[in-house]
Every structure is written in C-alpha cells, then in structure tokens.
Amino acid sequence: MITLSNVSKIYKSKLKNSAQIKAVDNIELQVAQGEIFGIIGYSGAGKSTLIRMLNGLETPSAGTISVAGREISKIKGAELRKARQEISMIFQHFNLLWSRTVRENISFPLEIAGVSKLERQNRVDELIKLVGLEGREDAYPSQLSGGQKQRVGIARALANNPKVLLCDEATSALDPQTTDSILDLLQDINTRLGLTIVLITHEMHVIRKICHRVAVMENGKVVEMGNVLDVFKRPQAQITKRFVQQVTEPEETKETIEHLLENYPNGKVIQLSFVGDSAEQPLITQLIRTFNLEVNILQGKISQTQSGSYGTLFIHLDGSEAEMDKALEYIKASHVGVEVIENA
Amino acid sequence: MLKTLFPNVIWDTIYEATLETLYMTAISVLATFFLGIILGLLLFLTGKGNLWENKIIHTIISAFVNIFRSIPFIILIVLLIPFTMAIMQTMIGANAALPALIIGAAPFYARMVEIALREIDKGVIEAAKSMGAKVSTIIFKVLIPESLPALVSGITVTAIALVGYTAMAGVVGAGGLGNLAYLEGFQRSQNDVTFIATIIVLIIVFIIQFIGDFITSKLDKR
C-alpha cells in the first residue's frame, strides 16, 4: 500500500557554510494493506517530516514514495489533490474549523470532493454514528472535549472513504483514558474498514496497544523495524530499549531493584521476560516443583500487544549455587528471557 | 426651544449633510472592505511560507500599502485631484470624495486583514490542504470564515476612521457634515452648527461601533 525507497529530506540552512539538516535520511520501508504501522521517535527525529511526505505536504529531496498506487513524490496540482482525498490525516491539535459545527466540519472534505448536498447529509450522519458523536452534531468545536474533537477529526478524515489514514501524534494532546478510547476507535476502524493506518508517536503505549509493526526513528534514520512483539522481545538499539522500558517497566523499577538487592544479599534477583505463549505457561510452579529453591515473586507486569502479550517478572531465587544454575538453564530452555540483576 | 438654543441651525441642511456623510461612508466602507480583503489576502498568501509565496509580489504590494497608509489623508486628497478629475469629472460633491477615501482606507484595512489572516492556526490550513482543497477553496472556506470576526472588527475601526476622513474631504468641497461644520460653522462663526455637526458625527460613530461589536460577537464561536 505504501512504499518508500531511499527517501531523504534535506533542509538547507540559510546561514552560509553551516551544515545542511537531514530531517529524513535514506529511509526504506513498506506498509502493507490493512496494516497499522507505527513510527516512534523523540521530537526532532524526523517522523513528522516523514509522515507529511506521505500526502505530499512535504516533498522529498531524494527517493520515491508511492501510496495507494500513486507516486506521491512526483504528482502535482489536481492529481495530487485527488490523491489526498484517498490519504486522510488526523492531527495532534485536531485542526478543526472553529467557525463550523461538528456536522459542517465533517462535511468539509465532502464539499471539497464535490459531493451533492443530500449525499453529504447522509454520509455525515453515518460518520457521526461511526465515531459515536450522536447528539453533538450541532455543537461548535469550542464546546467539545479533546477526545470529542479528535473524534470529529477522525470522522472528517474518513468522510471520503480513504485508503490510508495518517495519524500525526493523534493522541499526544489527550489524557491517558481518552487516548485509549481514541486508540480503540482507530483499531475498530482498521478492522471494520480494512483501512491502512500509519501513525507517528513518542509514546510506546500507543505502539503497544494498536500497532502491528513499528519503526523506531532517530536522527532521521530508521534504527529498528519489525513486528511490535519482536521489537518488545528483543530491542536492539539503545533508543528502542528505552522506549520498551516506557511500557514494561514502571518508572520506579530501577529504585525498587536496588532496594531489593540490598534486602536480599543471598541468592539472585532475576528478571524474566515472557513473550506470547510463554507468558501463559506456569513457569513459577514448575520451578518450585522441579528444583530445591525458594522462589519469591517481587514485581511483575504484563502488556498486551496486537500480536500477543509481553510481560516482565522480577523474582528472587535462593538455594545452592548449583541448583540455581540448573534453574536458570531450565528457564532459558522454556523460551523465557532471563537476566540476572547484579548490584550496580 | 431648539430655535433659541441653536439659532443658526437649519435642520434641512443638517439632514442633507448627514445623508451625504452616510452615503460617502457607506460606499467607501463597502469598497474598502472588498479592496482591503483582496489586498490583504494577496499580502498574506504571497508572504513567507504561504500558499503563493512570492517575494517580489509581496514586496510590491507591501510597499504600495505602506506608502498610501503613510500619506496624511488631507494631503492624499490634494495629491489625488488629477486622478479624481480623470475618473469622476468633478472635484465637488460626495462622489468626488470617494476615490481618495477608498485609496486612503483600503491599504489601512489591508494590513488589518493580513494580521487577521496570520492569526489563523496554520494547522487548519494544513488540514484543508491534506484533504485536497484548492487554493480558492482554502480562501473562501477556511481563510475568510475563520478570520471573519477579526475582519469585521477591523472594518469597524476602518469605518470609524472613514467617518473622520469624510469630514476632512468635506473641507475641500465634498459636502457632508465636515463641509457644513467648516463652511457654515467655522467660517461664519456659527458655533451651534459646528456643535450639532459634531454630535451627529458622534452618533454615527457610536452606531457603527455598536453594529460592529454585535456582528463580531455573533460570528465568534471560539
């Protein structure tokens, strides 16, 4: 559905002799039909520029971009405008027209597409139902909450039956609960309409919750890409590890562990990572039954991703060295990640 | 009662002068509104980072606007005498004042329009672009509706300035309340006439302000 090859975007600095800024650096990626593809990175990583190149709001300095069968990086004028009706976008700050009601805002892209008044009315009614805004049709954006505004944004984006939906930090201005309800809505739209979704974010939570695949961006480059679960399981780049920690480890984990190491001078503190099916086997029970060890559960968390669950568990083992080593071997053999936490 | 308070006031003349002032104001406000919006849009659209970014055109319009905004109105009228003669065939009467009024006020309003347009959230324009909107659609369905309260309050301020301009135009023969106050009031030392003319001008200004504020508050849904 979307193919980027060797895409770069270079901003020339006005100052003489100063270095050019490579916002996007030689990116190569494909997004399949019906996929929810997430791009994560900190601000300034180039993800905003990248997503804007997908609907021609920015043009690449090099490389080609094709979306829904059109070469976006080449077309101009009327053809580009036509293409944009198939590649909708929602925004962090919603970007609704304050002078129009909910109904009129949703109707706007239909007016642009030249849809007749009667058809517009019917379509708007459908969309209002789809995003759950019944009863708020005649409100102005200033009378809506953030979550409701984003629902209008989504309804507006879906009006012309697009093939691709681009989400530019669509949940970054919302509180956690509203974020989840908007993500549920996006996922629902994805499964019901088979819409391809590309989203950019700086929150791993968003990736974890709805994305099938993820690309991690840093300094204009994609440093890591793959299925969300794989990336969670085996983050390679340093930045990816930090993002994964955002969801798997609560903020205070580091302090907690140091505290634990002080409290348990004997034995070992071990971090187990479970992925997919392995999260569902009774590992701890087997450990206790098979080995002559004391097992103490210290802290744990399970996160649900689109392709399975991912969990971390901190346990404390106590017993003879030999028995503990055997236990570690056993855990490794059952496809569970093991990391012995040493004193820092 | 009125006769003793204002012995020199001839009410029929006052009435006529008021109509002339209203006529000059109405026509010039209308023309200024459209001309100012066109100029303001051009200023905005050709500005840096906008849809029709074009440094040369922007500089030319900007210079034109700045020059005509800076010339004191009373001098502008005199400067424009040949131009007015050419298109209006006369220098006397309300119509003769119109070219100077419009040329004096439109650049002033154009700047206000530009400021109003710059206040629009860039994201909204980007959203319209992302939906595949043409520039004309963006102008008529985004830029103008989204800046309308500011456009109306701007034209209110401009209209009040124009009432003042019509009085100045009156001094050089354009008719209206300014002309009356100057010729009948000042030159013939009939202070009561000047006083009445002033009161009527004030009433006109208050009414314009009231209408402008009312429309602005009705339009603003933010």
Side-chain angles (χ1 to χ4, degrees), chain B residues 13 22 28 39 44 49 54 65 82 99 107 116 127 145 147 151 157 171-172 186-187 212-213 215 222:
Chain B
T13 343
L22 287 176
S28 59
L39 279 175
F44 174 75
N54 186 323
V65 164
S147 64
L151 295 182
V157 173
V171 175
V172 291
F186 173 69
Q187 292 204 328
D213 288 349
I215 298 175
R222 276 173 287 198

Side-chain angles (χ1 to χ4, degrees), chain A residues 247-264:
Chain A
V247 267
T248 55
E249 289 178 28
E251 296 234 334
E252 66 279 12
T253 299
K254 255 212 169 99
E255 287 169 38
T256 318
I257 289 171
E258 302 217 328
H259 183 69
L260 290 172
L261 287 167
E262 277 172 31
N263 284 0
Y264 299 91

Side-chain angles (χ1 to χ4, degrees), chain B residues 34-51:
Chain B
F34 288 108
L35 208 63
I37 286 182
I38 292 168
L39 279 175
L41 273 170
L42 282 172
L43 270 175
F44 174 75
L45 291 170
T46 57
K48 206 171 166 337
N50 275 305
L51 294 162

